[in-house]
Amino acid sequence: MVRTKPLTIVVKLGTSSIVHETTHQPLLTTLSAIVETVVRLRAAGHKVVLVSSGAIGVGLQRMAMPARPKNLSGKQALAAIGQGRLIALWDNLFGQLGQPIAQVLLTRGDISDRTRYLNAVNTFKELLSMGVVPIVNENDTVSVSEIKFGDNDTLSAITSSMIHADYLFLFTDVDGLYTANPRKDTSARLIEVVESTAAIRTQVSTATLGSSLGTGGMETKLIAAEIATAAGVTTIITSSRNPPSLFAILEYHGMASGPSAIGGGARPPHTLFTPSVTPLRDLKAWTRHTLTPAGAVVIDSGAHSVLSRRESGGRLLAAGVLSVRGAFASGQAVRVLVRKGAVGADTRDVEAAREEYVRGLAPTRPGTPRGTAVLPRQGAEPDGTDVSLPDHGDSVDTVVAAEKDVVDEDQWEVEEVGRGLANYNSVQIEKVKGLNSAHLERLLGYADSEYVVENVTIFVSPRYLFGTNI
Ligand SMILES: N[C@@H](CCC(=O)OP(=O)(O)O)C(=O)O
């Protein structure tokens, strides 16, 4: 058997694979098989992270409750009851084979801060280099949105991206992605390889195939696959009924890692999502998938098409910014919104006026009193910057009224197309929006970067990744 380089593998096990759907008793056969599989992977030199759901399920069993409570605090309480027992169960099973484990509880909030994100990455690295198997779950007790909107499929994809995993195995109660629900439709066909999640979305029924216990289904698995493959992680959906099939799958794809449980060259049932050939790594993946945006910049369609090209390097110039929404600090994540529809002539007039003003010219607008300057709105704001008003007719009211007349920014129809990291704060970007970067230093007093937003990643598919909670 050909041995390959040591792999980093994330194994995700959903609630329906951990506890019985109705009795909520732990599925010890499955759990033991997972433990044996992970320990064999470790023995073959691979690094493994386990993403384990099941806290609420185990909590239900402990409290002899028949079903997940509807209210959030009820779920949080059950997760708190169950998580300790869940990790104790894993520790017991792994302990039988001498394998140390660690508990890692994450929330999206935890990793939306760059420092905390890096701390989590460093902890994973350290644990893996110590030969420990980190066992990850959401920190349900403190994370409102995670229970309400979240699922461990997404968490496992983000974890895979954080640790630059080679493979993400989503073990679930079906053996792959089907063209239709295989439990209801006998003509349903297993899809073996997916190269584009966006394309496959139009071809399959993603109706939830899971049990009543978990929060995920095929839809969240597709989302997870999209996140993970974008980060360069090969993603596999397969059945949790036979965890050692992981070896057969790796072997089938030429990634031999130990004796195959199936062997014989037959394709073990699974769906494989191929990784992106130009993966988003580190900062970009982090920006796109983990950050909570603090505000937004509205850009024009020209800037959008530039940013959509790889050569742009994800860097946004002030010239492409039409407006700024919300308040954010330099270094924070921002949504990138594109203004839909054509920019009207009046808007261009105001932008031209702003540009001329900055160049030292103070144009007058027809209909305003003779000598009244049409100023950029920020020039009239007493915000302590060095934008001096021209000495003729600098009527703030007239200017603001003139801008309002033609540009009611709040009414613009916009669409979120990406996210990025701001190099300047919202007030500063407001000051320089629409202008050539040559003006940045004079208007802001410094210009560390000629770009106002960097690390912009433009979404490749509809913005469903995190619902509306961030
Ligand atoms: N974090 C929660 C589970 C979230 C969830 O339901 O995930 P999944 O079963 O993977 O759809 C728990 O441990 O109960």
Side-chain angles (χ1 to χ4, degrees):
M1 178 185 304
V2 181
R3 284 196 175 264
T4 61
K5 69 170 178 102
L7 301 169
T8 300
I9 297 174
V10 174
V11 171
K12 186 264 168 176
L13 210 55
T15 305
S16 61
S17 306
I18 292 178
V19 296
H20 189 274
E21 188 168 358
T22 48
T23 67
H24 306 137
Q25 287 185 331
L27 299 172
L28 291 174
T29 310
T30 305
L31 300 188
S32 304
I34 286 282
V35 167
E36 284 171 355
T37 302
V38 170
V39 169
R40 271 173 62 189
L41 283 170
R42 286 281 314 117
H46 304 302
K47 294 174 175 172
V48 189
V49 171
L50 185 60
V51 177
S52 167
S53 308
I56 295 173
V58 171
L60 285 172
Q61 189 216 11
R62 182 72 181 98
M63 301 310 289
M65 286 168 65
R68 281 168 83 105
K70 297 264 180 289
N71 64 323
L72 180 63
S73 55
K75 290 177 204 165
Q76 289 174 314
L78 280 168
I81 294 162
Q83 179 62 32
R85 289 172 73 82
L86 177 67
I87 206 73
L89 179 57
W90 282 122
D91 195 31
N92 192 338
L93 293 173
F94 276 105
Q96 302 299 322
L97 300 180
Q99 173 60 55
I101 62 151
Q103 174 179 252
V104 179
L105 298 179
L106 294 173
T107 66
R108 187 165 293 136
D110 284 335
I111 51 178
S112 65
D113 174 280
R114 182 72 179 155
T115 309
R116 283 149 74 187
Y117 172 85
L118 289 175
N119 281 333
V121 169
N122 288 340
T123 304
F124 273 124
K125 276 191 190 154
E126 194 66 29
L127 288 168
L128 292 171
S129 73
M130 291 165 78
V132 171
V133 173
I135 300 186
V136 183
N137 196 358
E138 287 173 313
N139 194 354
D140 293 324
T141 307
V142 296
S143 58
V144 174
S145 62
E146 273 74 1
I147 286 183
K148 205 167 176 192
F149 301 107
D151 61 87
N152 278 4
D153 295 323
T154 306
L155 178 62
S156 67
I158 292 172
T159 303
S160 317
S161 158
M162 286 168 85
I163 61 171
H164 294 183
D166 299 287
Y167 280 89
L168 166 62
F169 277 83
L170 297 168
F171 279 114
T172 185
D173 48 7
V174 283
D175 53 17
L177 181 65
Y178 280 81
T179 48
N181 186 337
R183 291 181 190 149
K184 294 182 182 153
D185 184 345
T186 48
S187 68
R189 195 173 44 79
L190 177 78
I191 297 170
E192 296 189 342
V193 177
V194 175
E195 280 171 4
S196 158
T197 45
I200 209 72
R201 200 170 279 283
T202 60
Q203 294 167 30
V204 296
S205 150
T206 54
T208 300
L209 302 176
S211 68
S212 57
L213 276 178
T215 53
M218 270 308 145
E219 179 60 31
T220 57
K221 285 178 181 57
L222 277 185
I223 294 170
E226 183 162 20
I227 296 172
T229 54
V233 182
T234 304
T235 303
I236 309 265
I237 298 177
T238 192
S239 168
S240 59
R241 279 189 296 274
N242 180 23
S245 68
L246 176 147
F247 296 107
I249 293 169
L250 287 178
E251 195 165 310
Y252 183 83
H253 294 287
M255 307 299 282
S257 59
S260 166
I262 294 176
R267 189 184 196 278
H270 67 281
T271 299
L272 179 141
F273 296 77
T274 56
S276 163
V277 285
T278 52
L280 295 168
R281 289 290 198 190
D282 299 320
L283 194 56
K284 279 201 164 191
W286 173 72
T287 307
R288 178 169 169 185
H289 297 304
T290 67
L291 283 179
T292 303
V297 289
V298 182
I299 62 170
D300 59 30
S301 54
H304 180 211
S305 70
V306 170
L307 284 171
S308 304
R309 293 201 288 270
R310 271 174 55 74
E311 314 84 81
S312 74
R315 293 184 291 258
L316 173 66
L317 291 164
V321 178
L322 295 175
S323 78
V324 177
R325 294 189 176 180
F328 50 85
S330 157
Q332 282 198 287
V334 288
R335 297 176 197 276
V336 177
L337 312 175
V338 70
R339 184 180 178 193
K340 291 165 84 174
V343 176
D346 279 348
T347 306
R348 278 199 298 274
D349 283 351
V350 170
E351 284 160 358
R354 290 166 47 77
E355 179 74 25
E356 287 183 39
Y357 169 71
V358 169
R359 282 203 237 104
L361 304 170
T364 56
R365 176 176 289 282
T368 56
R370 189 176 160 73
T372 299
V374 178
L375 304 177
R377 192 183 305 172
Q378 74 275 13
E381 287 172 353
D383 56 10
T385 59
D386 62 354
V387 179
S388 55
L389 300 175
D391 54 11
H392 59 284
D394 49 354
S395 158
V396 172
D397 289 346
T398 309
V399 170
V400 172
E403 281 209 14
K404 274 223 169 98
D405 245 8
V406 292
V407 191
D408 195 353
E409 295 176 356
D410 295 340
Q411 302 303 312
W412 289 357
E413 199 189 337
V414 296
E415 181 189 3
E416 182 176 356
V417 292
R419 295 201 180 152
L421 290 177
N423 275 339
Y424 298 95
N425 67 35
S426 45
V427 174
Q428 292 170 318
I429 298 179
E430 175 67 32
K431 227 178 274 299
V432 299
K433 67 184 183 185
L435 300 178
N436 187 293
S437 5
H439 299 301
L440 261 60
E441 184 152 12
R442 188 164 64 79
L443 290 173
L444 304 179
Y446 74 102
D448 282 352
S449 168
E450 62 177 306
Y451 303 102
V452 290
V453 180
E454 284 194 283
N455 294 291
V456 175
T457 54
I458 295 294
F459 299 146
V460 289
S461 57
R463 187 176 59 81
Y464 50 75
L465 289 176
F466 292 118
T468 52
N469 59 319
I470 59 170

